[in-house]
Amino acid sequence: MTILARNPVHSVLWLILAFFNAAGLMVIIGAEFLAMLLVVVYVGAVAVLFLFVVMMLNIDFAEMRAGFMKNAPLGVVVAIILLAELVLGIGAYRAGKLDLGTPLGDAAPMAGASNTEALGVLMYGKYLFLFEVAGIILLVAMIGAIVLTHRGQRSTRGHQNIAKQNARRPEDATINVKPEIGKGVEL
């Protein structure tokens, strides 16, 4: 329904329902941390952002649908390439050429610990350095985005000068008078 809905707002609402269904499946298989992560990140941030963007922008969907046919050949080529990759990957796996790896046993879950606790011990224990490096990379990316989008004061035109407004004398103020009807402006 996310793909087939004609109204984009309904499409985003169906997408939110699909995220909740996926979170429910995660709870059923015992991965409650992933379920909550899915709800918080995808439903709480991404889907709501999509919903606000779709609702706030006045997009001409008839014009967008007209551009679909223009890009359809490129889409078909990309779909054929992806299908060929899937067929080759499944064929290589069935032929026995792919060794997906065997578990070493050192990542066995702790006895009596929940999934969330075991994930926390693993993330802040064995993979602490990688976790901190990922945090630093995200911080640098955030600072870079802020620096790139920050606009300095290029001109004073169009900007308010608060200090000048506060230092204004009553003599310099504009006086609002009620002119008599039919008198007009005196020059």
Side-chain angles (χ1 to χ4, degrees):
M1 290 305 296
T2 301
I3 298 170
L4 297 177
R6 294 215 179 259
N7 188 339
V9 175
H10 294 163
S11 182
V12 173
L13 292 175
W14 283 110
L15 180 66
I16 290 172
L17 181 66
F19 286 150
F20 273 116
N21 285 337
L25 291 174
M26 295 291 177
V27 169
I28 289 172
I29 64 170
E32 62 273 348
F33 181 76
L34 287 178
M36 289 309 298
L37 197 65
L38 189 73
V39 169
V40 169
V41 172
Y42 287 111
V43 175
V46 176
V48 173
L49 178 70
F50 284 169
L51 188 63
F52 282 128
V53 166
V54 166
M55 289 173 66
M56 296 282 185
L57 296 178
N58 189 13
I59 300 172
D60 185 13
F61 291 103
E63 183 179 325
M64 280 180 50
R65 287 189 187 104
F68 173 77
M69 291 311 292
K70 180 179 76 171
N71 296 321
L74 177 63
V76 169
V77 169
V78 170
I80 290 172
I81 291 171
L82 290 175
L83 182 66
E85 287 179 359
L86 279 173
V87 168
L88 287 174
I90 292 171
Y93 178 73
R94 287 191 177 162
K97 300 295 182 189
L98 290 178
D99 186 19
L100 297 179
T102 56
L104 300 175
D106 62 347
M110 300 179 342
S114 68
N115 288 342
T116 307
E117 187 177 351
L119 184 64
V121 167
L122 189 65
M123 193 182 319
Y124 293 115
K126 185 176 179 182
Y127 298 110
L128 177 65
F129 179 71
L130 296 174
F131 188 70
E132 289 182 356
V133 167
I136 290 172
I137 290 171
L138 289 172
L139 177 67
V140 169
M142 183 179 68
I143 292 172
I146 291 170
V147 167
L148 288 175
T149 58
H150 178 70
R151 295 182 181 161
Q153 229 179 359
R154 295 190 178 120
S155 69
T156 57
R157 188 176 147 228
H159 295 282
Q160 291 183 351
N161 187 347
I162 306 295
K164 184 178 176 184
Q165 291 176 4
N166 288 336
R168 179 180 57 85
R169 298 177 301 157
E171 304 87 55
D172 299 335
T174 304
I175 300 171
N176 189 9
V177 295
K178 291 188 176 184
E180 297 177 19
I181 295 176
K183 287 291 183 177
V185 177
E186 292 182 17
L187 298 176

